């Protein structure tokens, strides 16, 4: 167990020193090899890293990232907002509810939490402030809505979990639909109650003619999730091929139909997407080395035995897992957490009779909350940079949304039907 202490001790140390997650994982692994009696040739580590990224399902990641950025900067967000607001804007807190609905729609395009916040927040936060909403509430709501980005398919962390666990990515995508919608409803309820408390004025009710006009202008954006998910579930293409289709669709829509992008902007989008993809792939490669050491030292088996000594009750087990993931999500990047914890927790959950698809949804929903909890909270930082609000007050303002999502997490955890009914 000494090697485990060295491994996790070094990882925590490097993370506290603000070393990037991928390099923290790799340095912790190398340090453990040098400081303990583990025999693992460095040439093998290179091979492990290359093999980890040499995966067909992982090819979906760069394409979904690129599709999300294309749609975010190509005028899709604004059109989705106009559609949502035309239907719910006349209710109390309707514009805030429309913001959550827009985030849900965009989540079905981007597969990323921070990307959803960036795409929606730059439009929604200033518009909410214009309509009299408190700026810090608007920022907190958009940051919270971004958590849905990694739950509703296509989801990059669900792709990672599928690869790590050997579970069908298509089935995981199906399983994420209802939990993602449930998260959206929880945040809409928060928006409604807050608007009622603060007595925000709703927008005038849109006519059906105005609604049809909004739908007509944004029909291309609405159809994109239908094309992606319909193609996957209809057996027309795999999730990886769907990601390529999403990029082609996004290029045609943003560049030729909406004409929101020019060649210079498109090149910049490809560049930014490549940078984002590179950072994720470094984490995947480094986490593979980290996972190899975990397996060699039989750390998952040791953890499993320890938890089994505490309880063999599935209800208590899932509660402990949720508490663990909530803590991990506050300081570890989601993809790294999925790669590291899946081989440790999945065999345990199987012993407890938990379906691997249901467990994957529990893990991803839980870790999505890490996007709005300091110190890592990427959604917080993205939203903060948009509205120029400091992290400390924003962290306090987001607590009602966080609690609403925690309650939703518990419902998803203990009612497996929510995740499995579509599978």
């Amino acid at each position: 167990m000494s090697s485990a202490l060295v491994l996790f001790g070094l990882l925590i140390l490097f993370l506290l020193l603000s070393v990037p997650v991928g390099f923290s994982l790799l340095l912790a692994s190398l340090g453990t090899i040098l400081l303990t009696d583990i025999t693992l040739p460095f040439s093998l580590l290179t091979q492990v890293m290359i093999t980890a990224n040499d995966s067909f399902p992982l090819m979906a990641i760069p394409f979904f990232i690129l599709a999300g950025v294309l749609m975010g900067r190509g005028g899709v967000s604004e059109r989705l907002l106009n559609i949502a607001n035309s239907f719910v804007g006349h209710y109390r807190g309707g514009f805030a509810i429309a913001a959550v609905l827009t985030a849900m729609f965009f989540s079905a395009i981007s597969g990323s939490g921070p990307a959803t916040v960036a795409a929606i927040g730059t439009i929604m936060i200033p518009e909410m402030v214009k309509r009299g909403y408190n700026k810090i509430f608007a920022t907190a709501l958009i940051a919270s809505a971004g958590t849905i980005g990694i739950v509703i398919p296509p989801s990059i962390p669900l792709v990672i979990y599928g690869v790590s666990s050997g579970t069908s990515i298509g089935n995981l995508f199906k399983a994420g639909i209802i939990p993602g919608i449930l998260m959206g409803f929880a945040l809409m309820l928060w928006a409604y109650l807050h608007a009622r408390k603060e007595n925000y004025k709703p927008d005038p009710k849109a006519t059906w003619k105005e609604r049809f006009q909004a739908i007509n202008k944004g029909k291309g954006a609405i159809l994109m999730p239908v094309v992606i998910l319909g193609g996957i579930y209809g057996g027309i293409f795999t999730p990886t091929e769907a990601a390529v289709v999403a990029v082609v669709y996004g290029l045609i829509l943003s560049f030729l139909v909406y004409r929101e992008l020019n060649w210079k902007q498109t090149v910049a989008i490809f560049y930014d997407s490549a940078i984002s993809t590179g950072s994720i792939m470094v984490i995947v490669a480094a986490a593979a080395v980290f996972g190899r050491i975990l397996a060699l030292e039989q750390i998952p088996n040791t953890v499993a035995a320890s938890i089994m000594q505490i309880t063999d009750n599935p209800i208590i087990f899932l509660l402990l897992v949720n508490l663990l993931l909530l803590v991990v999500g506050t300081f570890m990047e989601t993809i790294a957490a999925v790669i590291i914890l899946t081989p440790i927790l999945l065999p345990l959950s199987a012993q407890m009779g938990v379906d691997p698809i249901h467990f994957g949804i529990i893990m991803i929903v839980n870790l999505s909350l890490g996007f709005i909890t300091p110190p890592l909270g990427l959604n917080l930082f993205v939203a903060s940079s948009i509205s120029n609000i400091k992290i400390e007050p924003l962290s306090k303002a987001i607590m009602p949304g966080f609690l609403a999502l925690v309650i939703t997490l518990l419902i998803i955890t203990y009612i497996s039907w929510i995740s499995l009914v579509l599978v």
Side-chain angles (χ1 to χ4, degrees), residues 99-120:
V100 178
L101 281 170
T102 307
M104 292 169 67
F105 267 109
F106 195 82
S107 297
I109 296 171
S110 70
S112 164
T116 299
V117 175
I120 304 301

Side-chain angles (χ1 to χ4, degrees), residues 79-84 86-87 105 207-223 258:
R79 287 167 173 81
L80 290 175
L81 168 61
N82 291 336
I83 294 170
S86 68
F87 282 91
F105 267 109
T207 64
W208 278 104
K209 181 181 179 181
E210 290 171 331
R211 289 171 179 173
F212 284 127
Q213 285 175 343
I215 291 172
N216 185 52
K217 289 179 181 178
K219 60 181 180 290
I222 295 176
L223 284 174
Y258 295 159

Side-chain angles (χ1 to χ4, degrees), residues 128-151:
M128 288 179 72
V129 173
K130 281 183 187 177
R131 284 168 163 79
Y133 285 85
N134 182 285
K135 188 176 185 181
I136 195 167
F137 165 73
T139 308
L141 180 69
I142 298 302
S144 300
T147 60
I148 306 170
I150 67 167
V151 179

Side-chain angles (χ1 to χ4, degrees), residues 358-398:
H358 179 214
F359 185 76
I361 298 301
I362 293 171
M363 177 177 274
I364 300 305
V365 171
N366 194 310
L367 291 173
S368 74
L369 300 183
F371 283 96
I372 55 172
T373 52
L376 192 61
L378 289 178
N379 286 9
L380 284 178
F381 289 106
V382 174
S384 171
S385 66
I386 293 171
S387 57
N388 293 318
I389 293 176
K390 291 183 178 180
I391 294 296
E392 291 79 5
L394 185 57
S395 300
K396 293 178 182 177
I398 212 167

Side-chain angles (χ1 to χ4, degrees), residues 283-300:
I283 293 172
V284 171
V289 176
F290 194 91
R292 178 61 65 94
I293 295 175
L294 288 177
L296 280 174
E297 295 301 294
Q298 297 187 328
I299 294 171

